[in-house]
Amino acid sequence: MKKMIRALFIVLALFLVAPNLALADQYPDKVVEKLGNGIANAVTGVVEIPKTITIVGNRDGVIHGMTVGLLTGIANAVGRSLSGAFDIATFLVPTTPFVKPANIWDDFNRETTFGEAHMR
């Protein structure tokens, strides 16, 4: 009975791995990209504060930028840094970034948004 269960687990594992073998050549690139994004976001999260102050200040005025922009920037900085830490911890599972834009320097004048990650 134990041999039969073991054989079923092996067959199940083969069926789960087989579809992914076609994408195996892209796996190292995706893993390295996710690790790089994670490190960059964890380190540059603090840049969200002046970025958001500038964006909100240009859009809604200086006072609004220094108050709402500051608080939003702090929240975005924490979110980007935590997202980077999560990407570092789970870099072996290639997913898309939670943060849009993926890096702080990508489209610097665009407000940061957070969404859900999807498998690549």
Side-chain angles (χ1 to χ4, degrees), residues 29-63:
D29 295 334
K30 292 176 182 179
V31 167
V32 170
E33 181 182 352
K34 183 175 179 179
L35 180 62
N37 282 344
I39 293 170
N41 285 334
V43 171
T44 62
V46 72
V47 180
E48 282 288 344
I49 297 170
K51 173 187 170 183
T52 307
I53 289 173
T54 304
I55 291 171
V56 173
N58 288 339
R59 186 185 63 213
D60 299 331
V62 176
I63 302 298

Side-chain angles (χ1 to χ4, degrees), residues 61-75:
V62 176
I63 302 298
H64 201 75
M66 294 301 290
T67 55
V68 173
L70 175 66
L71 296 174
T72 306
I74 292 170

